[in-house]
Amino acid sequence: MTRVLVINSGSSSLKLQILDTAVEKELAWALVERIGDPVGSLTVRRSEWTGSSAQSRSAEAEFADHTAALGLVLELAAELRVHPTDLGVEAIGHRVVHGGPAFHEPVLVTPEVEADIEELELLAPLHNPANLRGIRVARELLPGLPHVAVFDTGFFHTLPAAAHTYAIDAETAQRWHLRRYGFHGTSHEFVSRRTADVLGRPYDELNQIVLHLGNGASASAIEAGRAVDTSMGLTPLEGLVMGTRPGDLDPGLIIHLIRDRGMAPEDVSTLLNRRSGLEGLAGARDFRELLAGVDDDDEAATLAYDVVIHRLRRYIGGYWAVLGRVDAITFTAGVGENVARLRADALATLGDWGVQIDPEANENGSGERLISTPDSRVKVLVVPTDEELAIARACDVVLGLGPAD
Ligand code: ADP
């Protein structure tokens, strides 16, 4: 039995989960938001899988930094008897967004690994510093336990050069490690492996397209168990339309804004990371809000929805051509798991390609399931992602605590 604390540290948030990988259950969970603001919020919850009743503690206070936030989480966890020591946690797994050219697999965190992750901050200035802060704070407050870093880019290290190479001056690209890395890899791997399990087929015989559609969104093409293309690139800005990011656009637009329109690079970064996508088009970053607008015939919301669907179709068609044969298409994450209408619209033109959605299964089921008709040559599935479980399992493997799957 292995118990792992998984930490996802953002710039102003901390998400923690203690999982038992043997039974795949969550024992405890905590969320801190608005770290650094005058009033932040914190919740720690004990689940019934601890053997005691479910219970939670919340606090609204100023959390000056991640150390203060994690300190209070551990204090409240101790009150609920779900402190990592109480639950016999054996390892701590950290989500790290960018593994750069060096990290392909999850690794045990050492001072050298910390330094290498720090060096990658230039490639991922919006994510890696926050991830590293989480690692440092957790190592300080929970010494004596092994810490493992699991990289969002890892699964995509197998991309062929043709897929990961940007067609720019080769020397410049090489000098600054400019290439497509891909993100959400932990989710794409978890979901594609589950897809094979659900279909009862060997993972390395299936060609798959996985659509991870949450606030961030990405698509991947997986050929016989190996990732061969993905929509996110050097950074998580490229590809599909997202909650606040545009996905693909002409790089000339960025040059135009900076050189010809006098926009500061920092403002362009804010535009592309926070004021684009659904937010930029319809003022609604949350998909539920967007759908409410579509139902009300709101023009901006309808256009945003149409752009989302158009982009999805382009990626699905493109990956189909890359793969040659597609066995399964799987939807995951908040939007992919919950929005039947988007799944149907994204695949609506593929009837001649052997994709038939079963409207009943698509609209009424829940959880992991097949949503294509029995006759559909290509299987279509919904598979809820579980990045925390995948990170916990990766810790098992790195530390030799449990079986590799
Ligand atoms: P992330 O992990 O990237 O923050 P999630 O995978 O949690 O994102 O997905 C968040 C998105 O999923 C939001 O746009 C949210 O509106 C959408 N979403 C979640 N549940 C539903 C639902 N039942 N119906 C429609 N959209 C939903």
Side-chain angles (χ1 to χ4, degrees):
M1 187 158 81
T2 311
R3 290 176 166 190
V4 178
L5 166 62
V6 176
I7 299 183
N8 187 346
S9 174
S11 55
S12 64
S13 69
L14 264 182
K15 276 190 227 165
L16 300 95
Q17 211 176 340
I18 297 179
L19 295 137
D20 187 319
T21 58
V23 287
E24 300 186 352
K25 299 290 186 214
E26 174 192 292
L27 304 173
W29 169 94
L31 175 66
V32 192
E33 290 179 298
R34 300 187 302 282
I35 297 170
D37 280 11
V39 185
S41 72
L42 179 154
T43 303
V44 181
R45 197 181 66 202
R46 173 177 81 198
S47 95
E48 66 275 18
W49 298 106
T50 51
S52 305
S53 60
Q55 216 183 331
S56 63
R57 293 263 195 283
S58 294
E60 298 255 320
E62 181 180 358
F63 309 113
D65 53 26
H66 287 62
T67 310
L70 183 60
L72 188 57
V73 166
L74 293 174
E75 214 172 285
L76 296 182
E79 281 180 23
L80 292 170
R81 296 185 310 282
V82 291
H83 186 282
T85 321
D86 298 322
L87 293 178
V89 163
E90 291 171 75
I92 302 181
H94 296 269
R95 176 179 184 210
V96 178
V97 167
H98 215 310
F103 294 111
H104 299 164
E105 305 286 344
V107 290
L108 188 67
V109 177
T110 61
E112 294 73 40
V113 166
E114 265 191 22
D116 289 346
I117 294 174
E118 190 164 17
E119 260 189 37
L120 292 171
E121 289 187 354
L122 259 181
L123 282 179
L126 296 179
H127 298 94
N128 273 34
N131 302 155
L132 186 59
R133 201 167 308 140
I135 292 177
R136 289 192 164 138
V137 168
R139 289 186 83 203
E140 180 191 327
L141 298 187
L142 295 164
L145 282 172
H147 291 251
V148 173
V150 181
F151 301 93
D152 253 27
T153 48
F155 180 56
F156 296 116
H157 84 274
T158 59
L159 293 190
H164 73 62
T165 303
Y166 286 119
I168 60 170
D169 171 64
E171 210 174 293
T172 306
Q174 204 171 5
R175 179 157 178 219
W176 304 116
H177 309 292
L178 307 178
R179 50 160 283 182
R180 172 172 290 111
Y181 289 96
F183 299 87
H184 292 145
T186 308
S187 175
H188 283 271
E189 179 170 18
F190 178 86
V191 166
S192 56
R193 285 188 184 276
R194 282 301 312 152
T195 294
D197 288 346
V198 172
L199 296 176
R201 300 269 310 272
Y203 186 53
D204 58 7
E205 281 179 15
L206 283 182
N207 283 2
Q208 306 195 35
I209 294 174
V210 175
L211 303 163
H212 174 114
L213 312 176
N215 279 317
S218 60
S220 68
I222 300 165
E223 183 177 43
R226 171 177 178 244
V228 293
D229 209 348
T230 192
S231 59
M232 283 178 167
L234 174 75
T235 75
L237 273 178
E238 197 179 342
L240 300 172
V241 179
M242 312 184 210
T244 61
R245 291 172 250 163
D248 295 336
L249 42 79
D250 179 351
L253 181 148
I254 296 167
I255 298 166
H256 175 72
L257 288 177
I258 293 174
R259 190 190 56 199
D260 307 326
R261 300 290 176 190
M263 210 164 169
E266 254 330 290
D267 293 339
V268 177
S269 173
T270 303
L271 174 77
L272 299 180
N273 282 291
R274 306 205 187 288
R275 291 175 35 225
S276 296
L278 307 182
E279 174 72 26
L281 289 174
R285 74 179 61 186
D286 188 289
F287 217 85
R288 278 167 287 217
E289 210 184 309
L290 182 84
L291 289 175
V294 174
D295 287 339
D296 286 347
D297 285 329
D298 177 85
E299 223 174 283
T302 305
L303 173 63
Y305 182 79
D306 290 346
V307 176
V308 166
I309 297 297
H310 182 76
R311 188 78 52 83
L312 273 169
R313 288 179 179 172
R314 279 175 56 187
Y315 269 92
I316 295 166
Y319 287 173
W320 206 303
V322 167
L323 291 167
R325 185 199 83 229
V326 173
D327 300 303
I329 300 174
T330 304
F331 290 87
T332 193
V335 176
E337 290 165 28
N338 292 299
V339 187
R341 167 189 195 160
L342 168 137
R343 295 191 294 262
D345 287 338
L347 304 180
T349 53
L350 298 178
D352 285 352
W353 295 21
V355 181
Q356 298 292 345
I357 285 207
D358 175 349
E360 169 71 24
N362 185 35
E363 278 153 38
N364 299 324
S366 69
E368 197 172 81
R369 66 197 191 277
L370 202 59
I371 59 165
S372 46
T373 65
D375 293 342
S376 183
R377 195 183 52 71
V378 177
K379 306 300 171 205
V380 184
L381 298 92
V382 175
V383 172
T385 191
D386 194 339
E387 287 161 289
E388 286 76 18
L389 178 59
I391 290 173
R393 282 192 190 147
C395 290
D396 275 359
V397 174
V398 169
L399 300 169
L401 297 170
D405 57 3

